PDB file of all heavy atoms in Angstrom:
ATOM      1  N   THR A 207      -9.433 -21.459   4.848  1.00  0.00           N
ATOM      2  CA  THR A 207      -9.723 -22.857   5.135  1.00  0.00           C
ATOM      3  C   THR A 207      -8.569 -23.682   4.632  1.00  0.00           C
ATOM      4  O   THR A 207      -8.153 -23.549   3.479  1.00  0.00           O
ATOM      5  CB  THR A 207     -11.014 -23.306   4.416  1.00  0.00           C
ATOM      6  OG1 THR A 207     -12.091 -22.450   4.833  1.00  0.00           O
ATOM      7  CG2 THR A 207     -11.379 -24.748   4.759  1.00  0.00           C
ATOM      8  N   ILE A 208      -8.041 -24.533   5.498  1.00  0.00           N
ATOM      9  CA  ILE A 208      -6.901 -25.386   5.117  1.00  0.00           C
ATOM     10  C   ILE A 208      -7.186 -26.817   5.527  1.00  0.00           C
ATOM     11  O   ILE A 208      -8.011 -27.088   6.381  1.00  0.00           O
ATOM     12  CB  ILE A 208      -5.570 -24.904   5.769  1.00  0.00           C
ATOM     13  CG1 ILE A 208      -5.643 -24.978   7.280  1.00  0.00           C
ATOM     14  CG2 ILE A 208      -5.204 -23.525   5.296  1.00  0.00           C
ATOM     15  CD1 ILE A 208      -4.317 -24.760   7.977  1.00  0.00           C
ATOM     16  N   LYS A 209      -6.497 -27.737   4.877  1.00  0.00           N
ATOM     17  CA  LYS A 209      -6.579 -29.149   5.240  1.00  0.00           C
ATOM     18  C   LYS A 209      -5.253 -29.506   5.911  1.00  0.00           C
ATOM     19  O   LYS A 209      -4.177 -29.194   5.398  1.00  0.00           O
ATOM     20  CB  LYS A 209      -6.795 -30.020   4.013  1.00  0.00           C
ATOM     21  CG  LYS A 209      -8.148 -29.803   3.382  1.00  0.00           C
ATOM     22  CD  LYS A 209      -8.368 -30.729   2.199  1.00  0.00           C
ATOM     23  CE  LYS A 209      -9.737 -30.481   1.606  1.00  0.00           C
ATOM     24  NZ  LYS A 209     -10.044 -31.414   0.535  1.00  0.00           N
ATOM     25  N   ILE A 210      -5.360 -30.149   7.059  1.00  0.00           N
ATOM     26  CA  ILE A 210      -4.160 -30.585   7.780  1.00  0.00           C
ATOM     27  C   ILE A 210      -4.330 -32.058   8.147  1.00  0.00           C
ATOM     28  O   ILE A 210      -5.447 -32.599   8.170  1.00  0.00           O
ATOM     29  CB  ILE A 210      -3.895 -29.735   9.054  1.00  0.00           C
ATOM     30  CG1 ILE A 210      -5.111 -29.766   9.987  1.00  0.00           C
ATOM     31  CG2 ILE A 210      -3.559 -28.298   8.673  1.00  0.00           C
ATOM     32  CD1 ILE A 210      -4.880 -29.035  11.308  1.00  0.00           C
ATOM     33  N   SER A 211      -3.215 -32.693   8.413  1.00  0.00           N
ATOM     34  CA  SER A 211      -3.262 -34.115   8.802  1.00  0.00           C
ATOM     35  C   SER A 211      -3.935 -34.276  10.152  1.00  0.00           C
ATOM     36  O   SER A 211      -4.018 -33.338  10.942  1.00  0.00           O
ATOM     37  CB  SER A 211      -1.835 -34.695   8.858  1.00  0.00           C
ATOM     38  OG  SER A 211      -1.130 -34.096   9.915  1.00  0.00           O
ATOM     39  N   SER A 212      -4.381 -35.475  10.441  1.00  0.00           N
ATOM     40  CA  SER A 212      -4.998 -35.761  11.735  1.00  0.00           C
ATOM     41  C   SER A 212      -4.016 -35.494  12.884  1.00  0.00           C
ATOM     42  O   SER A 212      -4.405 -34.970  13.927  1.00  0.00           O
ATOM     43  CB  SER A 212      -5.474 -37.218  11.788  1.00  0.00           C
ATOM     44  OG  SER A 212      -6.462 -37.443  10.811  1.00  0.00           O
ATOM     45  N   ALA A 213      -2.775 -35.870  12.680  1.00  0.00           N
ATOM     46  CA  ALA A 213      -1.770 -35.680  13.722  1.00  0.00           C
ATOM     47  C   ALA A 213      -1.548 -34.184  13.987  1.00  0.00           C
ATOM     48  O   ALA A 213      -1.465 -33.753  15.143  1.00  0.00           O
ATOM     49  CB  ALA A 213      -0.448 -36.343  13.307  1.00  0.00           C
ATOM     50  N   LEU A 214      -1.483 -33.386  12.919  1.00  0.00           N
ATOM     51  CA  LEU A 214      -1.305 -31.949  13.099  1.00  0.00           C
ATOM     52  C   LEU A 214      -2.528 -31.326  13.745  1.00  0.00           C
ATOM     53  O   LEU A 214      -2.435 -30.431  14.598  1.00  0.00           O
ATOM     54  CB  LEU A 214      -1.001 -31.278  11.760  1.00  0.00           C
ATOM     55  CG  LEU A 214      -0.577 -29.817  11.788  1.00  0.00           C
ATOM     56  CD1 LEU A 214       0.617 -29.589  12.681  1.00  0.00           C
ATOM     57  CD2 LEU A 214      -0.285 -29.330  10.381  1.00  0.00           C
ATOM     58  N   GLY A 215      -3.703 -31.802  13.379  1.00  0.00           N
ATOM     59  CA  GLY A 215      -4.959 -31.338  13.986  1.00  0.00           C
ATOM     60  C   GLY A 215      -4.992 -31.638  15.478  1.00  0.00           C
ATOM     61  O   GLY A 215      -5.428 -30.794  16.271  1.00  0.00           O
ATOM     62  N   ALA A 216      -4.566 -32.821  15.862  1.00  0.00           N
ATOM     63  CA  ALA A 216      -4.533 -33.183  17.275  1.00  0.00           C
ATOM     64  C   ALA A 216      -3.533 -32.330  18.032  1.00  0.00           C
ATOM     65  O   ALA A 216      -3.801 -31.881  19.159  1.00  0.00           O
ATOM     66  CB  ALA A 216      -4.199 -34.665  17.405  1.00  0.00           C
ATOM     67  N   GLU A 217      -2.369 -32.091  17.439  1.00  0.00           N
ATOM     68  CA  GLU A 217      -1.355 -31.228  18.051  1.00  0.00           C
ATOM     69  C   GLU A 217      -1.894 -29.817  18.215  1.00  0.00           C
ATOM     70  O   GLU A 217      -1.701 -29.177  19.261  1.00  0.00           O
ATOM     71  CB  GLU A 217      -0.081 -31.237  17.219  1.00  0.00           C
ATOM     72  CG  GLU A 217       1.058 -30.464  17.797  1.00  0.00           C
ATOM     73  CD  GLU A 217       1.768 -31.144  18.952  1.00  0.00           C
ATOM     74  OE1 GLU A 217       1.584 -32.356  19.141  1.00  0.00           O
ATOM     75  OE2 GLU A 217       2.508 -30.449  19.670  1.00  0.00           O
ATOM     76  N   LEU A 218      -2.554 -29.303  17.206  1.00  0.00           N
ATOM     77  CA  LEU A 218      -3.121 -27.974  17.249  1.00  0.00           C
ATOM     78  C   LEU A 218      -4.169 -27.886  18.354  1.00  0.00           C
ATOM     79  O   LEU A 218      -4.185 -26.921  19.135  1.00  0.00           O
ATOM     80  CB  LEU A 218      -3.735 -27.610  15.896  1.00  0.00           C
ATOM     81  CG  LEU A 218      -4.404 -26.241  15.771  1.00  0.00           C
ATOM     82  CD1 LEU A 218      -3.410 -25.119  16.037  1.00  0.00           C
ATOM     83  CD2 LEU A 218      -5.037 -26.078  14.407  1.00  0.00           C
ATOM     84  N   ALA A 219      -5.033 -28.874  18.447  1.00  0.00           N
ATOM     85  CA  ALA A 219      -6.088 -28.879  19.477  1.00  0.00           C
ATOM     86  C   ALA A 219      -5.464 -28.924  20.885  1.00  0.00           C
ATOM     87  O   ALA A 219      -5.881 -28.203  21.784  1.00  0.00           O
ATOM     88  CB  ALA A 219      -7.015 -30.045  19.263  1.00  0.00           C
ATOM     89  N   ALA A 220      -4.464 -29.769  21.060  1.00  0.00           N
ATOM     90  CA  ALA A 220      -3.833 -29.912  22.381  1.00  0.00           C
ATOM     91  C   ALA A 220      -3.109 -28.620  22.775  1.00  0.00           C
ATOM     92  O   ALA A 220      -3.251 -28.162  23.909  1.00  0.00           O
ATOM     93  CB  ALA A 220      -2.854 -31.081  22.359  1.00  0.00           C
ATOM     94  N   ARG A 221      -2.369 -28.048  21.843  1.00  0.00           N
ATOM     95  CA  ARG A 221      -1.623 -26.829  22.191  1.00  0.00           C
ATOM     96  C   ARG A 221      -2.542 -25.634  22.379  1.00  0.00           C
ATOM     97  O   ARG A 221      -2.273 -24.767  23.223  1.00  0.00           O
ATOM     98  CB  ARG A 221      -0.577 -26.528  21.123  1.00  0.00           C
ATOM     99  CG  ARG A 221       0.596 -27.502  21.182  1.00  0.00           C
ATOM    100  CD  ARG A 221       1.647 -27.144  20.169  1.00  0.00           C
ATOM    101  NE  ARG A 221       2.735 -28.096  20.175  1.00  0.00           N
ATOM    102  CZ  ARG A 221       3.996 -27.768  20.390  1.00  0.00           C
ATOM    103  NH1 ARG A 221       4.333 -26.507  20.567  1.00  0.00           N
ATOM    104  NH2 ARG A 221       4.936 -28.688  20.375  1.00  0.00           N
ATOM    105  N   SER A 222      -3.604 -25.573  21.619  1.00  0.00           N
ATOM    106  CA  SER A 222      -4.536 -24.443  21.798  1.00  0.00           C
ATOM    107  C   SER A 222      -5.253 -24.552  23.141  1.00  0.00           C
ATOM    108  O   SER A 222      -5.459 -23.544  23.823  1.00  0.00           O
ATOM    109  CB  SER A 222      -5.531 -24.364  20.655  1.00  0.00           C
ATOM    110  OG  SER A 222      -6.407 -25.463  20.662  1.00  0.00           O
ATOM    111  N   ALA A 223      -5.609 -25.767  23.554  1.00  0.00           N
ATOM    112  CA  ALA A 223      -6.240 -25.954  24.861  1.00  0.00           C
ATOM    113  C   ALA A 223      -5.266 -25.593  25.982  1.00  0.00           C
ATOM    114  O   ALA A 223      -5.637 -24.927  26.952  1.00  0.00           O
ATOM    115  CB  ALA A 223      -6.696 -27.389  25.013  1.00  0.00           C
ATOM    116  N   LYS A 224      -4.025 -26.013  25.850  1.00  0.00           N
ATOM    117  CA  LYS A 224      -3.002 -25.730  26.875  1.00  0.00           C
ATOM    118  C   LYS A 224      -2.748 -24.224  26.993  1.00  0.00           C
ATOM    119  O   LYS A 224      -2.557 -23.717  28.104  1.00  0.00           O
ATOM    120  CB  LYS A 224      -1.712 -26.458  26.542  1.00  0.00           C
ATOM    121  CG  LYS A 224      -0.633 -26.304  27.597  1.00  0.00           C
ATOM    122  CD  LYS A 224       0.593 -27.116  27.242  1.00  0.00           C
ATOM    123  CE  LYS A 224       1.651 -26.919  28.341  1.00  0.00           C
ATOM    124  NZ  LYS A 224       2.850 -27.699  28.058  1.00  0.00           N
ATOM    125  N   ALA A 225      -2.761 -23.524  25.881  1.00  0.00           N
ATOM    126  CA  ALA A 225      -2.493 -22.074  25.877  1.00  0.00           C
ATOM    127  C   ALA A 225      -3.753 -21.237  26.113  1.00  0.00           C
ATOM    128  O   ALA A 225      -3.679 -20.018  26.190  1.00  0.00           O
ATOM    129  CB  ALA A 225      -1.860 -21.669  24.559  1.00  0.00           C
ATOM    130  N   HIS A 226      -4.903 -21.911  26.214  1.00  0.00           N
ATOM    131  CA  HIS A 226      -6.211 -21.223  26.382  1.00  0.00           C
ATOM    132  C   HIS A 226      -6.454 -20.266  25.232  1.00  0.00           C
ATOM    133  O   HIS A 226      -6.870 -19.121  25.428  1.00  0.00           O
ATOM    134  CB  HIS A 226      -6.291 -20.513  27.733  1.00  0.00           C
ATOM    135  CG  HIS A 226      -6.075 -21.406  28.898  1.00  0.00           C
ATOM    136  ND1 HIS A 226      -7.020 -22.350  29.288  1.00  0.00           N
ATOM    137  CD2 HIS A 226      -5.020 -21.544  29.732  1.00  0.00           C
ATOM    138  CE1 HIS A 226      -6.560 -22.996  30.344  1.00  0.00           C
ATOM    139  NE2 HIS A 226      -5.336 -22.537  30.638  1.00  0.00           N
ATOM    140  N   LEU A 227      -6.160 -20.716  24.032  1.00  0.00           N
ATOM    141  CA  LEU A 227      -6.394 -19.945  22.810  1.00  0.00           C
ATOM    142  C   LEU A 227      -7.240 -20.770  21.859  1.00  0.00           C
ATOM    143  O   LEU A 227      -7.195 -21.990  21.891  1.00  0.00           O
ATOM    144  CB  LEU A 227      -5.063 -19.616  22.115  1.00  0.00           C
ATOM    145  CG  LEU A 227      -4.068 -18.743  22.857  1.00  0.00           C
ATOM    146  CD1 LEU A 227      -2.731 -18.735  22.134  1.00  0.00           C
ATOM    147  CD2 LEU A 227      -4.602 -17.331  23.007  1.00  0.00           C
ATOM    148  N   SER A 228      -7.952 -20.097  20.996  1.00  0.00           N
ATOM    149  CA  SER A 228      -8.681 -20.841  19.953  1.00  0.00           C
ATOM    150  C   SER A 228      -7.664 -21.398  18.964  1.00  0.00           C
ATOM    151  O   SER A 228      -6.536 -20.913  18.855  1.00  0.00           O
ATOM    152  CB  SER A 228      -9.672 -19.924  19.244  1.00  0.00           C
ATOM    153  OG  SER A 228      -8.991 -18.957  18.471  1.00  0.00           O
ATOM    154  N   LYS A 229      -8.086 -22.422  18.252  1.00  0.00           N
ATOM    155  CA  LYS A 229      -7.181 -22.965  17.226  1.00  0.00           C
ATOM    156  C   LYS A 229      -6.885 -21.904  16.157  1.00  0.00           C
ATOM    157  O   LYS A 229      -5.756 -21.825  15.666  1.00  0.00           O
ATOM    158  CB  LYS A 229      -7.812 -24.219  16.586  1.00  0.00           C
ATOM    159  CG  LYS A 229      -7.871 -25.402  17.545  1.00  0.00           C
ATOM    160  CD  LYS A 229      -8.331 -26.658  16.865  1.00  0.00           C
ATOM    161  CE  LYS A 229      -9.815 -26.668  16.689  1.00  0.00           C
ATOM    162  NZ  LYS A 229     -10.341 -27.952  16.131  1.00  0.00           N
ATOM    163  N   SER A 230      -7.862 -21.083  15.837  1.00  0.00           N
ATOM    164  CA  SER A 230      -7.643 -20.021  14.862  1.00  0.00           C
ATOM    165  C   SER A 230      -6.601 -19.018  15.334  1.00  0.00           C
ATOM    166  O   SER A 230      -5.718 -18.607  14.575  1.00  0.00           O
ATOM    167  CB  SER A 230      -8.957 -19.279  14.574  1.00  0.00           C
ATOM    168  OG  SER A 230      -9.856 -20.125  13.903  1.00  0.00           O
ATOM    169  N   GLU A 231      -6.684 -18.623  16.597  1.00  0.00           N
ATOM    170  CA  GLU A 231      -5.724 -17.654  17.136  1.00  0.00           C
ATOM    171  C   GLU A 231      -4.327 -18.252  17.159  1.00  0.00           C
ATOM    172  O   GLU A 231      -3.352 -17.565  16.822  1.00  0.00           O
ATOM    173  CB  GLU A 231      -6.143 -17.200  18.541  1.00  0.00           C
ATOM    174  CG  GLU A 231      -5.162 -16.218  19.183  1.00  0.00           C
ATOM    175  CD  GLU A 231      -4.986 -14.915  18.418  1.00  0.00           C
ATOM    176  OE1 GLU A 231      -5.856 -14.529  17.600  1.00  0.00           O
ATOM    177  OE2 GLU A 231      -3.934 -14.266  18.611  1.00  0.00           O
ATOM    178  N   LEU A 232      -4.222 -19.503  17.554  1.00  0.00           N
ATOM    179  CA  LEU A 232      -2.911 -20.160  17.586  1.00  0.00           C
ATOM    180  C   LEU A 232      -2.334 -20.251  16.161  1.00  0.00           C
ATOM    181  O   LEU A 232      -1.149 -19.995  15.945  1.00  0.00           O
ATOM    182  CB  LEU A 232      -3.004 -21.536  18.200  1.00  0.00           C
ATOM    183  CG  LEU A 232      -1.698 -22.242  18.480  1.00  0.00           C
ATOM    184  CD1 LEU A 232      -0.820 -21.459  19.419  1.00  0.00           C
ATOM    185  CD2 LEU A 232      -1.969 -23.630  19.082  1.00  0.00           C
ATOM    186  N   ALA A 233      -3.173 -20.575  15.185  1.00  0.00           N
ATOM    187  CA  ALA A 233      -2.713 -20.658  13.801  1.00  0.00           C
ATOM    188  C   ALA A 233      -2.299 -19.277  13.284  1.00  0.00           C
ATOM    189  O   ALA A 233      -1.274 -19.151  12.611  1.00  0.00           O
ATOM    190  CB  ALA A 233      -3.817 -21.224  12.928  1.00  0.00           C
ATOM    191  N   ARG A 234      -3.057 -18.210  13.646  1.00  0.00           N
ATOM    192  CA  ARG A 234      -2.674 -16.848  13.233  1.00  0.00           C
ATOM    193  C   ARG A 234      -1.316 -16.481  13.817  1.00  0.00           C
ATOM    194  O   ARG A 234      -0.466 -15.921  13.124  1.00  0.00           O
ATOM    195  CB  ARG A 234      -3.719 -15.848  13.702  1.00  0.00           C
ATOM    196  CG  ARG A 234      -4.941 -15.736  12.829  1.00  0.00           C
ATOM    197  CD  ARG A 234      -5.814 -14.555  13.200  1.00  0.00           C
ATOM    198  NE  ARG A 234      -6.434 -14.701  14.507  1.00  0.00           N
ATOM    199  CZ  ARG A 234      -7.612 -15.304  14.715  1.00  0.00           C
ATOM    200  NH1 ARG A 234      -8.283 -15.813  13.709  1.00  0.00           N
ATOM    201  NH2 ARG A 234      -8.113 -15.370  15.928  1.00  0.00           N
ATOM    202  N   ARG A 235      -1.103 -16.794  15.079  1.00  0.00           N
ATOM    203  CA  ARG A 235       0.172 -16.481  15.711  1.00  0.00           C
ATOM    204  C   ARG A 235       1.319 -17.270  15.103  1.00  0.00           C
ATOM    205  O   ARG A 235       2.435 -16.731  14.926  1.00  0.00           O
ATOM    206  CB  ARG A 235       0.107 -16.754  17.219  1.00  0.00           C
ATOM    207  CG  ARG A 235      -0.784 -15.783  17.952  1.00  0.00           C
ATOM    208  CD  ARG A 235      -0.789 -16.029  19.436  1.00  0.00           C
ATOM    209  NE  ARG A 235      -1.692 -15.129  20.111  1.00  0.00           N
ATOM    210  CZ  ARG A 235      -1.777 -14.994  21.429  1.00  0.00           C
ATOM    211  NH1 ARG A 235      -0.991 -15.725  22.218  1.00  0.00           N
ATOM    212  NH2 ARG A 235      -2.615 -14.162  21.976  1.00  0.00           N
ATOM    213  N   ALA A 236       1.070 -18.522  14.752  1.00  0.00           N
ATOM    214  CA  ALA A 236       2.116 -19.341  14.133  1.00  0.00           C
ATOM    215  C   ALA A 236       2.489 -18.818  12.754  1.00  0.00           C
ATOM    216  O   ALA A 236       3.669 -18.735  12.400  1.00  0.00           O
ATOM    217  CB  ALA A 236       1.653 -20.797  14.033  1.00  0.00           C
ATOM    218  N   ILE A 237       1.494 -18.391  11.984  1.00  0.00           N
ATOM    219  CA  ILE A 237       1.752 -17.831  10.673  1.00  0.00           C
ATOM    220  C   ILE A 237       2.503 -16.513  10.789  1.00  0.00           C
ATOM    221  O   ILE A 237       3.473 -16.252  10.066  1.00  0.00           O
ATOM    222  CB  ILE A 237       0.439 -17.656   9.868  1.00  0.00           C
ATOM    223  CG1 ILE A 237      -0.162 -19.019   9.538  1.00  0.00           C
ATOM    224  CG2 ILE A 237       0.668 -16.837   8.608  1.00  0.00           C
ATOM    225  CD1 ILE A 237      -1.566 -18.972   9.009  1.00  0.00           C
ATOM    226  N   ALA A 238       2.084 -15.658  11.729  1.00  0.00           N
ATOM    227  CA  ALA A 238       2.778 -14.382  11.950  1.00  0.00           C
ATOM    228  C   ALA A 238       4.220 -14.600  12.370  1.00  0.00           C
ATOM    229  O   ALA A 238       5.120 -13.895  11.898  1.00  0.00           O
ATOM    230  CB  ALA A 238       2.026 -13.547  12.992  1.00  0.00           C
ATOM    231  N   ALA A 239       4.466 -15.570  13.248  1.00  0.00           N
ATOM    232  CA  ALA A 239       5.840 -15.861  13.687  1.00  0.00           C
ATOM    233  C   ALA A 239       6.682 -16.382  12.530  1.00  0.00           C
ATOM    234  O   ALA A 239       7.852 -16.017  12.396  1.00  0.00           O
ATOM    235  CB  ALA A 239       5.810 -16.885  14.831  1.00  0.00           C
ATOM    236  N   TYR A 240       6.095 -17.202  11.683  1.00  0.00           N
ATOM    237  CA  TYR A 240       6.803 -17.701  10.502  1.00  0.00           C
ATOM    238  C   TYR A 240       7.197 -16.564   9.580  1.00  0.00           C
ATOM    239  O   TYR A 240       8.334 -16.488   9.109  1.00  0.00           O
ATOM    240  CB  TYR A 240       5.940 -18.724   9.771  1.00  0.00           C
ATOM    241  CG  TYR A 240       6.543 -19.164   8.457  1.00  0.00           C
ATOM    242  CD1 TYR A 240       7.543 -20.148   8.446  1.00  0.00           C
ATOM    243  CD2 TYR A 240       6.124 -18.608   7.252  1.00  0.00           C
ATOM    244  CE1 TYR A 240       8.113 -20.550   7.250  1.00  0.00           C
ATOM    245  CE2 TYR A 240       6.697 -19.005   6.058  1.00  0.00           C
ATOM    246  CZ  TYR A 240       7.685 -19.965   6.053  1.00  0.00           C
ATOM    247  OH  TYR A 240       8.257 -20.361   4.879  1.00  0.00           O
ATOM    248  N   PHE A 241       6.271 -15.661   9.328  1.00  0.00           N
ATOM    249  CA  PHE A 241       6.569 -14.527   8.447  1.00  0.00           C
ATOM    250  C   PHE A 241       7.619 -13.622   9.070  1.00  0.00           C
ATOM    251  O   PHE A 241       8.496 -13.103   8.364  1.00  0.00           O
ATOM    252  CB  PHE A 241       5.305 -13.731   8.148  1.00  0.00           C
ATOM    253  CG  PHE A 241       4.345 -14.427   7.207  1.00  0.00           C
ATOM    254  CD1 PHE A 241       3.017 -14.055   7.165  1.00  0.00           C
ATOM    255  CD2 PHE A 241       4.773 -15.445   6.384  1.00  0.00           C
ATOM    256  CE1 PHE A 241       2.125 -14.659   6.305  1.00  0.00           C
ATOM    257  CE2 PHE A 241       3.887 -16.076   5.516  1.00  0.00           C
ATOM    258  CZ  PHE A 241       2.556 -15.687   5.473  1.00  0.00           C
ATOM    259  N   ALA A 242       7.527 -13.385  10.380  1.00  0.00           N
ATOM    260  CA  ALA A 242       8.494 -12.513  11.056  1.00  0.00           C
ATOM    261  C   ALA A 242       9.900 -13.111  10.970  1.00  0.00           C
ATOM    262  O   ALA A 242      10.884 -12.392  10.806  1.00  0.00           O
ATOM    263  CB  ALA A 242       8.093 -12.302  12.503  1.00  0.00           C
ATOM    264  N   ALA A 243      10.001 -14.427  11.070  1.00  0.00           N
ATOM    265  CA  ALA A 243      11.303 -15.088  11.024  1.00  0.00           C
ATOM    266  C   ALA A 243      11.875 -15.171   9.620  1.00  0.00           C
ATOM    267  O   ALA A 243      13.077 -15.328   9.460  1.00  0.00           O
ATOM    268  CB  ALA A 243      11.188 -16.489  11.634  1.00  0.00           C
ATOM    269  N   SER A 244      11.016 -15.062   8.611  1.00  0.00           N
ATOM    270  CA  SER A 244      11.495 -15.240   7.241  1.00  0.00           C
ATOM    271  C   SER A 244      11.933 -13.929   6.572  1.00  0.00           C
ATOM    272  O   SER A 244      12.236 -13.931   5.387  1.00  0.00           O
ATOM    273  CB  SER A 244      10.431 -15.933   6.394  1.00  0.00           C
ATOM    274  OG  SER A 244       9.287 -15.106   6.271  1.00  0.00           O
ATOM    275  N   GLY A 245      11.936 -12.834   7.283  1.00  0.00           N
ATOM    276  CA  GLY A 245      12.441 -11.589   6.731  1.00  0.00           C
ATOM    277  C   GLY A 245      11.355 -10.593   6.428  1.00  0.00           C
ATOM    278  O   GLY A 245      10.196 -10.797   6.767  1.00  0.00           O
ATOM    279  N   PRO A 246      11.730  -9.490   5.789  1.00  0.00           N
ATOM    280  CA  PRO A 246      10.787  -8.420   5.509  1.00  0.00           C
ATOM    281  C   PRO A 246       9.644  -8.871   4.596  1.00  0.00           C
ATOM    282  O   PRO A 246       9.810  -9.754   3.764  1.00  0.00           O
ATOM    283  CB  PRO A 246      11.615  -7.363   4.796  1.00  0.00           C
ATOM    284  CG  PRO A 246      13.027  -7.765   4.898  1.00  0.00           C
ATOM    285  CD  PRO A 246      13.066  -9.207   5.316  1.00  0.00           C
ATOM    286  N   SER A 247       8.518  -8.249   4.776  1.00  0.00           N
ATOM    287  CA  SER A 247       7.349  -8.563   3.984  1.00  0.00           C
ATOM    288  C   SER A 247       7.560  -8.188   2.521  1.00  0.00           C
ATOM    289  O   SER A 247       8.171  -7.177   2.224  1.00  0.00           O
ATOM    290  CB  SER A 247       6.133  -7.805   4.508  1.00  0.00           C
ATOM    291  OG  SER A 247       5.032  -7.972   3.664  1.00  0.00           O
ATOM    292  N   ILE A 248       7.060  -8.993   1.624  1.00  0.00           N
ATOM    293  CA  ILE A 248       7.180  -8.690   0.202  1.00  0.00           C
ATOM    294  C   ILE A 248       6.209  -7.575  -0.199  1.00  0.00           C
ATOM    295  O   ILE A 248       6.343  -7.008  -1.265  1.00  0.00           O
ATOM    296  CB  ILE A 248       6.931  -9.936  -0.669  1.00  0.00           C
ATOM    297  CG1 ILE A 248       5.548 -10.539  -0.389  1.00  0.00           C
ATOM    298  CG2 ILE A 248       8.017 -10.959  -0.429  1.00  0.00           C
ATOM    299  CD1 ILE A 248       5.170 -11.650  -1.309  1.00  0.00           C
ATOM    300  N   ASN A 249       5.252  -7.254   0.675  1.00  0.00           N
ATOM    301  CA  ASN A 249       4.268  -6.223   0.339  1.00  0.00           C
ATOM    302  C   ASN A 249       4.682  -4.828   0.774  1.00  0.00           C
ATOM    303  O   ASN A 249       3.986  -3.882   0.528  1.00  0.00           O
ATOM    304  CB  ASN A 249       2.924  -6.569   0.998  1.00  0.00           C
ATOM    305  CG  ASN A 249       2.325  -7.812   0.441  1.00  0.00           C
ATOM    306  OD1 ASN A 249       2.517  -8.125  -0.724  1.00  0.00           O
ATOM    307  ND2 ASN A 249       1.634  -8.568   1.246  1.00  0.00           N
ATOM    308  N   HIS A 250       5.812  -4.718   1.449  1.00  0.00           N
ATOM    309  CA  HIS A 250       6.258  -3.412   1.940  1.00  0.00           C
ATOM    310  C   HIS A 250       7.626  -3.118   1.337  1.00  0.00           C
ATOM    311  O   HIS A 250       8.654  -3.572   1.824  1.00  0.00           O
ATOM    312  CB  HIS A 250       6.336  -3.421   3.463  1.00  0.00           C
ATOM    313  CG  HIS A 250       5.005  -3.620   4.100  1.00  0.00           C
ATOM    314  ND1 HIS A 250       4.540  -4.852   4.474  1.00  0.00           N
ATOM    315  CD2 HIS A 250       4.018  -2.743   4.393  1.00  0.00           C
ATOM    316  CE1 HIS A 250       3.336  -4.723   4.994  1.00  0.00           C
ATOM    317  NE2 HIS A 250       3.008  -3.456   4.958  1.00  0.00           N
ATOM    318  N   PRO A 251       7.648  -2.343   0.257  1.00  0.00           N
ATOM    319  CA  PRO A 251       8.921  -2.023  -0.369  1.00  0.00           C
ATOM    320  C   PRO A 251       9.760  -1.121   0.530  1.00  0.00           C
ATOM    321  O   PRO A 251       9.218  -0.388   1.358  1.00  0.00           O
ATOM    322  CB  PRO A 251       8.521  -1.318  -1.658  1.00  0.00           C
ATOM    323  CG  PRO A 251       7.168  -0.784  -1.395  1.00  0.00           C
ATOM    324  CD  PRO A 251       6.512  -1.732  -0.432  1.00  0.00           C
TER     325      PRO A 251
END
């Protein structure tokens, strides 16, 4: 559970509707993309 600004919430709702994805799925994909771009996982030596 996270708190986001109203503007970010509106953007999330609009983009999830456009992509035909739930807001949760879009958030999961965004987090995964962020982690992939930031380098190797700290949990995998």
Side-chain angles (χ1 to χ4, degrees):
T207 303
I208 62 170
K209 293 183 181 185
I210 57 175
S211 67
S212 297
L214 189 56
E217 183 76 16
L218 179 61
R221 288 183 182 236
S222 67
K224 184 176 180 179
H226 303 288
L227 297 170
S228 68
K229 291 187 281 185
S230 293
E231 178 61 21
L232 189 59
R234 279 190 292 272
R235 291 182 182 189
I237 292 169
Y240 173 80
F241 288 160
S244 65
S247 173
I248 58 173
N249 295 328
H250 296 94

